[in-house]
Amino acid sequence: MAVEAPSDGDHVYLRLEGITKSFPGVVANCGINLDVGRGEIHAVLGENGAGKSTLMKVLYGFWQPDAGTISVDGKRLDLRSPSDAIRAGIGMVFQSFMLIPAFSVAENIALTLPGSGVLLSVSAIRARLREFGSRYGLSVEADAKVWQLSVGEQQRVEIVKLLVSGARVLILDEPTSVLAPHEVTKLFEILQTLRRDGYTILFVTHKLNEVMAIADRITVLRKGGVVGTLPRAGATLPDLVDMLLGERELRAGSFERRDHEPGGRAVLELHDLSVRSDRGRTGLARVSLRVCAGEIVGVAGVTGNGQTELGEAILGLRRPAGGRVVLDGVDVTRRSTAAILAQGVACIPEDPLRMGVAPGLTIAENMVLDERARYMPFGGLLTDWRAIRREIELRVENFGIAIPRLSVPVGTLSGGNVQRLLLLRALARKPRLLVAFYPTRGLDIAATRMAQELLMVSRNGGAATLLISEDLDELFALSDRLVVLSRGAVAGSFRPGEVETVDVGLLMTGAAKRHEWQASPASSIPGS
Amino acid sequence: MLAMLQSVLGGGIRAGTPILYATLGEVISERAGVVNLGVEGGILVGACAGFITTAHTQNPMLGIAAAALAGGLAGLVHAFMVVTLRSNQIASGLALMFLCLGVTSFVGRPYVAVKINAVPQASVPGLSRLPLVGTVLFTHDVLVYGAYLLAPLIWLLLFHTKWGLALRAVGERPAVAYASGLPTSLIQYGAVVSGGVLSGIAGAHLSLAYARSWVEGMSNGRGFIAVALVIFATWHPLRSVVGAVVFGAVFALQLQIQARGVALSPYFLDMTPYLLTLVGLLLMGRARRHAMPEGLRAVFEGVT
């Protein structure tokens, strides 16, 4: 394992030597060496926090390394800023796109164009767009505003932007994490065409199957260092898993899923729920849905197709334009959020740092925030912080979170640890209904596994769960029933065993209309 | 009645001129993602520096140049505080405003009641003889024409040049602009200093053309009206013109009412522009909030 593969004959185009980069308290990259040949798709594989993004941002001049050198085509580069990298022909598509939503596609592309003249020349950009669009299947509307585009289209804008600005090395940071399966296929076709034309592509991911599908060579990172580089032809999935995780073992297999009597009592019922949205997002249009006790209902959909509004309407954060929300038989459509939470509803919010925690408060303070009545009687005068700490420490210990002290501000924790805390906080209340947005986002493989098990334990204990996720594998593994949201409407409803992930992906993006296998209407009781 | 309407409109254009300069400056600054509440201070230092220079040289053109320089310096201070030191832009702007108020009151004290050569009037040949609108539109001082010509120029600059695109990108998503290889700090410096220069010229118009005298605190809240006008105008230079003329007309109307001896407390009349500001914010606030450059919500912290 972990053998350095010789770069079979063709010379090294891009070379990173001894790259070291540390941030306060953590060494993100430690002496990393990476050789990439011209016209090669080179996968950089690693778990969350392995240092992939840091390394790529160093290569893009976004961050300056503490030590190490970068050279392209034998010439050593001194990258002080992204503009240096762009001049050297290195371009990057970030995980969160670097596009300005209020600008048109042409304006966004003009931003990176090397300067010639002062006046904006949209017609020249249009011509370039057409040229690259037809050659690589990257067609995009030049005058459309970016906020109107789908995620897949935005990604295409990002790639065209790099090509137009003359990049020869393309860095793609987790490019598939936002795409539906058939969009991934399309992206891979584009990448293969680009490789044929001599573009060098760095493909950053933590998904093994994608690496095996597209990469020529694979470099695996772990804990900020290189574990090894190997050609795809010589790689097997078990090898890669070993390299990724080290000696840790993955418990494979499915979850213990206790069956409940069919047609259990409905905890959450939505009747023809319609919700208006903010600008640029889809609302909800007459969504009907039912979640029973002891059931996980998965909501699949590309972000921005009404998931936010769905969650906000259930939690009373957004007033519906029509329809009803019923909790345990009680109409709560116009109740306040406080009243709804008091009925036993817990939430893992969509945007943890904005809606889940107050970053400036300590961990302990955040953990009691949504159950003030229980932990802080008499207006908080009789708060027993020691008891609270003991209780939290007990929970935290079981979940393996590395927390320095409970008195540090939550804002100093990593995204993954914040997510774990939120999960713990939500489940600690033993909710009747759990609304979980992307519960495993930002977690590495082991923590994801544990989080999913916790969700399953909660389900087996009789909680109703609405699981909103973009990860189809997760939805298929956990859900008793799946609902697909597309443009704010239910595009399909079925049991996970009945369909393939690809079909769901097509529905998610509106590429397929309601399918014939849509066996049961959305509001029917499962198993009836 | 017609005569009064004409004089209110003509007066509105004249009184709207300093507001327009200041508003255009603030549009540039905010489009680049920096709010400058110190506009008021910029107007004051401009008015003061312009007046003192003119009093000594008897050349109002030199006065205008000095005013622009002084306003630019005030902008530079704000840019240094906000862009380089990353301090809170609200606090920095307010502090700058009070600092300028104090400094100009002190420095300008000997010049109260001094007489100067005003900025020359220039009727546009031919056009000023047009019926009805001729005198309203075309018998003003040069700074007035400058302001109304500047608005379309800044519109061109912001929306049809690469500089403008870069500036707006910094104001929308500084991280994106940085990743696109733009010098974000430099652009913000440029925008805030330009805004300061324009607020200085606004002050020059106040002391060298409109009032033709120096009084401490003579900007009298016009800077804050400009900040509010930027919101009415949805950060758009051409719409700023409409707002500036409307507010200018309110100032002019106020003078007319006083001149005609209408029995209304002058204190109440003094309130009207600011009352109008609040009413306007109330009406426009929610509807057009999305036009705001996204980057205004926070100052770009740069990369570590």
Side-chain angles (χ1 to χ4, degrees), chain B residues 9 29 40 48 64 85 189 245 249 275 289-290:
Chain B
L9 260 181
S29 177
E40 182 82 8
C48 187
I64 293 172
L85 300 185
Y189 259 93
V245 172
L275 197 64
R289 195 177 292 156
H290 64 75

Side-chain angles (χ1 to χ4, degrees), chain A residues 60 62-63 82-83 86 98-103 107 110-112 115-120, chain B residues 159-163 165-166 168-169 172-173 175-176 178-182 290 294 303-304:
Chain A
Y60 187 52
F62 206 88
W63 284 324
S83 57
I86 291 169
M98 287 290 175
L99 295 172
I100 293 171
F103 282 13
E107 283 180 318
L111 264 184
T112 37
S116 59
V118 169
L119 287 180
L120 269 183
Chain B
F159 295 99
H160 292 277
T161 66
K162 283 190 183 165
W163 296 333
L165 184 75
R168 285 184 294 129
E172 287 281 343
R173 296 262 166 120
V176 174
Y178 182 74
S180 306
L182 293 174
H290 64 75
E294 281 185 42
V303 287
T304 43

Side-chain angles (χ1 to χ4, degrees), chain A residues 111-356:
Chain A
L111 264 184
T112 37
L113 272 190
S116 59
V118 169
L119 287 180
L120 269 183
S121 162
V122 176
S123 58
I125 292 168
R126 251 190 226 112
R128 303 288 289 278
L129 270 177
R130 264 199 304 278
E131 178 198 331
F132 285 110
S134 55
R135 198 188 314 161
Y136 299 112
L138 285 161
S139 53
V140 276
E141 181 67 47
D143 296 310
K145 296 270 190 264
V146 162
W147 60 264
Q148 298 169 317
L149 302 179
S150 75
V151 180
E153 285 171 314
Q154 291 187 23
Q155 189 173 58
R156 263 170 266 156
V157 176
E158 283 277 26
I159 296 175
V160 174
K161 202 169 86 176
L162 300 190
L163 301 183
V164 170
S165 68
R168 299 302 298 173
V169 176
L170 311 181
I171 307 167
L172 306 176
D173 192 3
E174 306 258 2
T176 58
S177 61
V178 291
L179 300 181
H182 76 276
E183 287 178 315
V184 172
T185 315
K186 169 138 201 223
L187 174 69
F188 283 4
E189 281 165 17
I190 293 168
L191 294 185
Q192 268 149 1
T193 324
L194 287 169
R195 169 174 55 185
R196 216 168 306 148
D197 277 14
Y199 285 96
T200 302
I201 295 162
L202 278 158
F203 188 94
V204 180
T205 186
H206 62 262
K207 293 180 183 164
L208 297 169
N209 51 351
E210 290 174 358
V211 168
M212 295 305 277
I214 187 92
D216 299 314
R217 288 199 304 150
I218 305 159
T219 292
V220 182
L221 297 187
R222 189 170 77 228
K223 289 180 182 160
V226 173
V227 184
T229 297
L230 61 171
R232 189 218 4 215
T236 65
L237 278 178
D239 281 350
L240 289 176
V241 170
D242 279 349
M243 290 169 77
L244 260 182
L245 299 182
E247 57 277 21
R248 255 185 301 155
E249 243 178 60
L250 248 194
R251 271 179 294 161
S254 59
F255 302 96
E256 188 211 338
R257 185 188 288 271
R258 193 179 305 149
D259 280 332
H260 297 269
E261 73 280 23
R265 227 155 45 76
V267 174
L268 173 73
E269 291 169 281
L270 306 181
H271 298 289
D272 288 329
L273 189 68
S274 295
V275 178
R276 275 193 212 96
S277 71
D278 300 340
R279 179 188 75 130
R281 288 202 317 223
T282 321
L284 286 185
R286 300 175 63 83
V287 167
S288 292
L289 198 129
R290 151 180 248 186
V291 189
C292 297
E295 182 186 39
I296 295 180
V297 172
V299 178
V302 178
T303 303
N305 274 276
Q307 294 95 325
T308 312
E309 286 76 7
L310 179 68
E312 287 179 348
I314 293 171
L315 292 165
L317 293 168
R318 187 179 282 263
R319 184 144 291 183
R324 289 188 301 135
V325 179
V326 178
L327 261 181
D328 277 324
V330 184
D331 188 328
V332 297
T333 316
R334 311 223 162 253
R335 295 272 177 88
S336 72
T337 302
I340 290 169
L341 291 179
Q343 283 222 31
V345 178
C347 175
I348 298 169
E350 184 179 12
D351 187 346
L353 281 177
R354 262 188 53 222
M355 299 287 288

Side-chain angles (χ1 to χ4, degrees), chain B residues 182-213:
Chain B
L182 293 174
T184 52
S185 299
L186 192 69
I187 290 171
Q188 287 190 324
Y189 259 93
V192 176
V193 170
S194 309
V197 166
L198 290 182
S199 70
I201 296 177
H205 186 260
L206 263 188
S207 68
L208 301 181
Y210 191 71
R212 297 171 193 190
S213 61

Side-chain angles (χ1 to χ4, degrees), chain B residues 283-290:
Chain B
L283 295 178
M284 312 273 295
R286 282 192 82 78
R288 296 214 175 158
R289 195 177 292 156
H290 64 75

Side-chain angles (χ1 to χ4, degrees), chain B:
Chain B
M1 191 61 213
L2 185 68
M4 175 162 166
L5 195 67
Q6 276 179 326
S7 69
V8 165
L9 260 181
I13 288 173
R14 197 158 42 245
T17 298
I19 298 177
L20 183 55
Y21 275 118
T23 307
L24 290 173
E26 187 68 7
V27 165
I28 296 176
S29 177
E30 292 197 15
R31 277 282 180 180
V34 180
V35 176
N36 185 0
L37 290 184
V39 205
E40 182 82 8
I43 297 178
L44 278 175
V45 292
C48 187
F51 193 84
I52 293 175
T53 308
T54 311
H56 285 291
T57 63
Q58 292 304 324
N59 183 345
M61 290 305 152
L62 278 181
I64 293 172
L69 193 70
L73 274 176
L76 190 66
V77 172
H78 186 61
F80 178 72
M81 294 301 294
V82 172
V83 182
T84 304
L85 300 185
R86 317 240 186 259
S87 52
N88 182 297
Q89 44 187 346
I90 305 298
S92 165
L94 286 177
L96 183 68
M97 192 274 281
F98 283 110
L99 178 73
C100 292
L101 181 62
V103 167
T104 53
S105 301
F106 174 70
V107 176
R109 189 135 200 89
Y111 296 89
V112 176
V114 168
K115 293 252 179 301
I116 53 147
N117 277 344
V119 175
Q121 295 284 317
S123 296
V124 182
L127 289 176
S128 59
R129 284 206 219 98
L130 285 175
L132 291 176
V133 296
T135 47
V136 173
L137 295 181
F138 299 110
T139 54
H140 293 289
D141 59 80
V142 286
L143 278 177
V144 173
Y145 305 124
Y148 293 92
L149 289 176
L150 195 62
L153 216 71
I154 288 176
W155 170 77
L156 265 176
L157 190 83
L158 282 180
F159 295 99
H160 292 277
T161 66
K162 283 190 183 165
W163 296 333
L165 184 75
L167 188 143
R168 285 184 294 129
V170 173
E172 287 281 343
R173 296 262 166 120
V176 174
Y178 182 74
S180 306
L182 293 174
T184 52
S185 299
L186 192 69
I187 290 171
Q188 287 190 324
Y189 259 93
V192 176
V193 170
S194 309
V197 166
L198 290 182
S199 70
I201 296 177
H205 186 260
L206 263 188
S207 68
L208 301 181
Y210 191 71
R212 297 171 193 190
S213 61
W214 163 256
V215 187
E216 64 169 70
M218 72 184 298
S219 53
N220 204 8
R222 283 177 176 81
F224 288 102
I225 289 181
V227 172
L229 261 185
V230 172
I231 302 167
F232 296 154
T234 56
W235 292 268
H236 198 288
L238 296 182
R239 277 192 285 267
S240 305
V241 175
V242 182
V245 172
V246 169
F247 273 88
V250 172
F251 277 106
L253 185 69
Q254 184 189 333
L255 288 178
Q256 284 283 323
I257 289 175
Q258 269 170 331
R260 273 151 208 259
V262 178
L264 249 172
S265 162
Y267 295 112
F268 179 79
L269 289 174
D270 282 346
M271 292 184 334
T272 43
Y274 311 104
L275 197 64
L276 184 67
T277 308
L278 283 182
V279 171
L281 281 176
L282 200 73
L283 295 178
M284 312 273 295
R286 282 192 82 78
R288 296 214 175 158
R289 195 177 292 156
H290 64 75
M292 181 170 91
E294 281 185 42
L296 281 185
R297 285 175 204 149
V299 174
F300 183 45
E301 293 289 342
V303 287
T304 43

